[in-house]
């Protein structure tokens, strides 16, 4: 997937680029390797813990800011970039950090904030939200068919003891058995998306791309599930609410899926969907 993402993004080797999801900097490093000496790369990430990876990149063409998608328009002048890259979701660095509660594979406190210095933690929300709010998040953000039954169990459970650990969720009684994925996959995703305002943030970065990209600039988005992809697809087709059609972006080509080899080398890429737009 990185190869297609970069081939689409870097249409002008001496251009100015923005990596909206720095993570541990894998994509940023590849961009720097592939642009010329007068090109530049800005990168952002809302997680302050990734600053240490950004500090390792000693390249005059590179600059990192610890901000969110929704801060972009206040942080960069309009028409700053020839290309913007968005690689949605969480990084393996966040998933593997056992103090954060993103993974159902290890026991940890249910924090789930991408920026641990602000906002409500997952455990605060799960102990205070009403049953309907939890069920709706599970249904709409996690596409969880048994959303109501699972939300009910959480509310019953917390009457006896606060929900605070990943095992409080993995030990729920899931009223079905799935062969491939862990039964808690959907609700973990739903809680993470809710806690980090992921839908609002995605809409915000897509809209910002309209002002931040130069004419002819490319938007490259990698998403990992149908909820995100639907928003990106609708945006590129000019069907996202409150976005004017004239200032629009054209969708370029069809969506691109990873090759078998890429999935073998990087199992996370299995559900990746790449879409490309061009600012008109
Ligand atoms: C899938 S990872 C990116 C991995 C990266 N491409 C790499 O090569 O390491 C997504 C990153 O985006 C960040 N992120 C997610 N939502 C964000 C937002 N609304 N604003 C800024 N950064 C965000 C996360 O903190 C995470 O580090």
């Amino acid at each position: 997937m990185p190869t297609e993402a970069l081939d689409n993004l870097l249409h002008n080797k001496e251009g100015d680029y923005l990596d909206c999801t720095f993570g541990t900097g894998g994509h940023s490093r590849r961009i720097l390797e592939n642009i010329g000496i007068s090109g530049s790369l800005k990168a952002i990430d809302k997680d302050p813990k990734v600053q240490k990876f950004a500090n390792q990149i000693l390249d005059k063409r590179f600059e990192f800011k610890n901000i969110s998608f929704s801060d972009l328009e206040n942080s960069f002048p309009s028409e700053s970039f020839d290309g913007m890259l968005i690689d949605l979701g969480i990084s393996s660095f966040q998933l593997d950090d056992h103090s954060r509660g993103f993974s159902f594979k290890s026991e940890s406190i249910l924090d789930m904030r991408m920026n641990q210095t602000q906002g409500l933690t997952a455990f605060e929300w799960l102990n205070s939200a009403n049953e309907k709010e939890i069920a709706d998040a599970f249904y709409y953000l996690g596409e969880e068919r048994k959303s109501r039954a699972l939300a009910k169990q959480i509310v019953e459970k917390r009457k006896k003891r606060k929900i605070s650990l990943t095992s409080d969720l993995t030990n729920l009684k899931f009223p079905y058995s799935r062969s491939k994925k862990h039964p808690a996959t959907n609700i973990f995703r739903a809680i993470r998306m809710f806690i980090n305002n992921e839908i609002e943030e995605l809409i915000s970065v897509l809209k910002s791309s309209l002002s931040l990209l130069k004419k002819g600039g490319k938007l490259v988005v990698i998403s990992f599930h149908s909820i995100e992809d639907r928003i990106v697809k609708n945006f590129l087709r000019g069907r996202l609410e409150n976005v004017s059609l004239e200032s629009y972006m054209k969708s370029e080509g069809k969506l691109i899926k990873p090759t078998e080899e890429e999935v073998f080398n990087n199992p996370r890429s299995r559900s990746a969907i790449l879409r490309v737009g061009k600012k008109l």
Side-chain angles (χ1 to χ4, degrees), residues 3-61:
T3 310
E4 275 93 354
L6 294 200
D7 286 351
N8 278 290
L9 184 74
L10 305 180
H11 58 104
N12 166 9
K13 295 277 180 212
E14 303 302 329
D16 302 306
Y17 293 93
L18 174 64
D19 179 353
C20 301
T21 47
F22 178 77
T24 53
H27 282 156
S28 279
R29 282 196 181 79
R30 293 211 44 201
I31 293 170
L32 289 165
E33 280 160 20
N34 285 283
I35 57 174
I37 42 168
S38 41
S40 77
L41 174 67
K42 304 276 190 295
I44 68 150
D45 200 297
K46 75 191 288 186
D47 186 347
K49 288 191 172 173
V50 312
Q51 179 76 51
K52 64 179 179 208
F53 301 110
N55 292 347
Q56 290 164 4
I57 301 183
L58 306 171
D59 187 317
K60 285 201 184 109
R61 299 167 302 168

Side-chain angles (χ1 to χ4, degrees), residues 230-279:
R230 205 173 306 131
I231 294 171
V232 178
K233 184 174 73 184
N234 285 338
F235 172 75
L236 293 175
R237 290 181 181 171
R239 283 202 242 114
L240 198 66
E241 228 181 309
N242 301 330
V243 179
S244 91
L245 274 167
E246 299 102 78
S247 55
Y248 227 68
M249 277 241 175
K250 187 171 142 289
S251 179
E252 293 234 303
K254 290 207 168 114
L255 83 166
I256 304 162
K257 295 230 172 201
T259 60
E260 273 181 29
E261 190 189 343
E262 276 165 339
V263 174
F264 180 77
N265 292 329
N266 174 15
R268 175 181 175 262
S269 72
R270 192 185 319 111
S271 44
I273 305 166
L274 175 69
R275 288 192 189 267
V276 181
K278 181 175 177 181
K279 167 118 171 244

Side-chain angles (χ1 to χ4, degrees), residues 19-28 44-47 50 67-70 85 87-94 100 114-115 196-198 201-202 222 224 268:
D19 179 353
C20 301
T21 47
F22 178 77
T24 53
H27 282 156
S28 279
I44 68 150
D45 200 297
K46 75 191 288 186
D47 186 347
V50 312
I67 57 168
S68 297
F69 297 160
S70 46
L85 173 65
D87 178 14
L88 292 165
I90 49 170
S91 72
S92 42
F93 156 75
Q94 292 164 325
R100 304 183 71 164
M114 288 183 191
N115 179 341
N196 295 290
N197 277 328
E198 291 188 28
E201 284 284 309
L202 173 58
I222 304 169
F224 288 89
R268 175 181 175 262

